[in-house]
Amino acid sequence: MTVTLDSKTNRWNFGSLTVQGVCNQVGFELCSERLVLPFIYTAVGGPAYFAGTILSTVNITRFLSQVPGAAFLTRVRYSKRVMAWSTLVCVAALAAVATMRDDFAAQTVVVIFLLAAALIGAGKGLGVLAFQDVLGRSLLPSSRAGLLFLTGALTGLGVIASTYLSVNYLDFDGDDSFNSELIVVGAVLLALSAASALVIREPEKITSGGAEQTSAVTTSKFLDEVRSGLAIAGHLTWFRKYLVARMLLTPIEVATPFFAIHAVALHPDTAPSLPTFVVAGALGMMIGGAVFPAFSRKSERLTMNVSALIACLAALLSLSLQFFPDLRNLATHSAAFLLLAIANQGVSVSKTVYVVNAASDETRPYCVAASNLVSGVLGFLLALILGMISHVQGAEAALMAMIPFNLAAAFYVMRLPSSRNLGAPQT
């Protein structure tokens, strides 16, 4: 059936994409690789050394999947089908995680969780590319920003409502203390997201012929362009400084799993504590999402600075529970997760806005790709190091190690040039 993007089709697609987006984001938050997966991994007896690599594995496979995924999307007629199937890959991975129990061998726990993380990352990476393609071809430009803002606003509320439902009305195993309900509810929402993607009225793409004969030449040209673009980005003075800032901010982005490990040690009864921390993180997302865009419009450097300082406060608050048992309760520990979620939201917004504003149209794709690659590789290595520290000295030692980096980041980001003075090619 031929689809024409008129006002009627636009309204239908706006509704379909809203349902798809909310189910997708809420589902992934309930199964978050930052908090939920590391928390459950630790609770079922997984070695702390590998806990931090769950998040890094998701990030790396998400990045790697987008390289061939971009070429793949040019060869399919409907990107909505890619959205659906990539989401179902994540559902299958989460189904394996939901079966975990504390009587599994430690090696089995590590293998299952890391394989699941790799599949989730690949599914997320391909799904994001497909979503962006569908967004550009199936929704009018005037509706795109409204869709994204509405989806973000509904996601925090959806996380809180879904967590409340899973805790108070679902009990798949009366002896289950590892909150498999959260994973199951998240997987169900992701399945609904996949179904919603299929009802989008997407115009059929016209694929180019002869792709097989020209693939080798195209690939060679593509790699040459990538190398050239990355070399140009590396010669930008502001970008080299930005890379240093990104590296100093990386501990904030990989911190949540180690907060989760620390929380498991202090709150071994995971059944009531994990949903509480998930809700705290959702509230942090909502607060950060509401506050930091206004900050960022004034100064991305200030947003990064404040975010790094808030991350320090989160670490100090969590550590205070270690050394002052009288403060050790779910409300106080939830405040630490809320502060960390706010800090993560601030870093996510400000680092993106800064590089988008600072780079020119020609260098922006390479600056974004290079900074993501550097941050992703560093995050993986940092997660291994902090995992080793947690395994030997305890998670509190890893939290202590992050504080100097956060303070250094808060100081250094204020030395970045204002992105308002950039935007043209810089040398």
Side-chain angles (χ1 to χ4, degrees), residues 248-249 251-252 308-309 311-312 315-316 319 386 396-412:
L248 290 173
L249 290 167
I252 300 174
L309 294 176
C312 285
L316 290 172
L319 287 170
L386 293 174
E396 62 274 12
L399 298 185
M400 288 181 185
M402 295 178 192
I403 294 176
F405 285 94
N406 296 342
L407 292 174
F411 171 77
Y412 185 84

Side-chain angles (χ1 to χ4, degrees), residues 17-356:
L17 284 166
T18 299
V19 174
Q20 183 273 334
V22 172
C23 288
N24 188 274
Q25 292 188 30
V26 174
F28 278 126
E29 284 299 320
L30 293 181
C31 310
S32 167
E33 64 272 14
R34 291 182 180 271
L35 171 59
V36 177
L37 293 184
F39 198 105
I40 294 178
Y41 167 87
T42 305
V44 298
Y49 178 75
F50 291 100
T53 61
I54 294 174
L55 172 60
S56 300
T57 300
V58 171
N59 288 337
I60 286 178
T61 53
R62 178 167 53 192
F63 173 79
L64 293 177
S65 69
Q66 291 180 344
V67 177
F72 175 70
L73 284 175
T74 64
R75 290 166 169 77
V76 298
R77 291 185 176 181
Y78 297 103
S79 292
K80 66 180 183 180
R81 296 174 181 172
V82 179
M83 287 173 61
W85 282 108
S86 62
T87 302
L88 292 178
V89 168
C90 298
V91 172
L94 291 169
V97 171
T99 66
M100 300 301 297
R101 294 295 183 270
D102 59 354
D103 57 353
F104 281 39
Q107 297 88 338
T108 303
V109 173
V110 171
V111 170
I112 290 178
F113 269 86
L114 291 185
L115 284 177
L119 288 174
I120 290 170
K124 276 188 169 185
L126 194 55
V128 166
L129 283 179
F131 170 77
Q132 291 173 343
D133 188 42
V134 170
L135 186 68
R137 297 188 307 103
S138 303
L139 209 63
L140 295 175
S142 58
S143 300
R144 294 168 191 165
L147 171 74
L148 297 178
F149 280 123
L150 178 62
T151 300
L154 293 177
T155 295
L157 295 175
V159 170
I160 295 172
S162 299
T163 304
Y164 179 83
L165 170 67
S166 68
V167 170
N168 293 280
Y169 295 100
L170 299 177
D171 186 6
F172 301 128
D173 184 348
D175 194 34
D176 176 23
S177 62
F178 302 123
N179 296 109
S180 62
E181 291 85 3
L182 286 178
I183 299 292
V184 173
V185 172
V188 170
L189 287 171
L190 290 173
L192 290 175
S193 170
S196 301
L198 292 176
V199 303
I200 297 169
R201 295 173 181 172
E202 178 188 3
E204 182 178 356
K205 287 186 281 188
I206 301 176
T207 57
S208 58
E212 293 79 3
Q213 289 84 355
T214 61
S215 61
V217 176
T218 303
T219 300
S220 177
K221 182 180 179 182
F222 172 76
L223 292 176
D224 288 340
E225 290 178 352
V226 169
R227 284 191 290 267
S228 175
L230 292 178
I232 293 172
H235 283 86
L236 299 174
T237 302
W238 71 264
F239 182 68
R240 292 197 297 270
K241 294 181 178 179
Y242 172 75
L243 273 184
V244 175
R246 278 293 302 269
M247 289 189 285
L248 290 173
L249 290 167
T250 298
I252 300 174
E253 300 179 86
V254 302
T256 307
F258 300 98
F259 276 72
I261 296 171
H262 188 242
V264 171
L266 298 185
H267 304 281
D269 185 5
T270 64
S273 56
L274 178 56
T276 304
F277 298 150
V278 170
V279 170
L283 289 174
M285 288 174 53
M286 295 172 66
I287 294 171
V291 172
F292 279 128
F295 269 69
S296 189
R297 281 192 293 270
K298 295 181 179 179
S299 170
E300 300 90 11
R301 297 173 297 176
L302 178 61
T303 307
M304 289 186 262
N305 173 272
V306 172
S307 299
L309 294 176
I310 291 175
C312 285
L313 289 177
L316 290 172
L317 179 56
S318 189
L319 287 170
S320 70
L321 306 182
Q322 179 75 28
F323 300 111
F324 301 99
D326 291 343
L327 299 176
R328 198 174 298 172
N329 56 68
L330 285 180
T332 309
H333 215 143
S334 295
F337 279 98
L338 183 143
L339 289 172
L340 185 61
I342 293 174
N344 266 302
Q345 194 79 341
V347 170
S348 176
V349 170
S350 56
K351 72 180 184 183
T352 301
V353 174
Y354 185 91
V355 72
V356 168

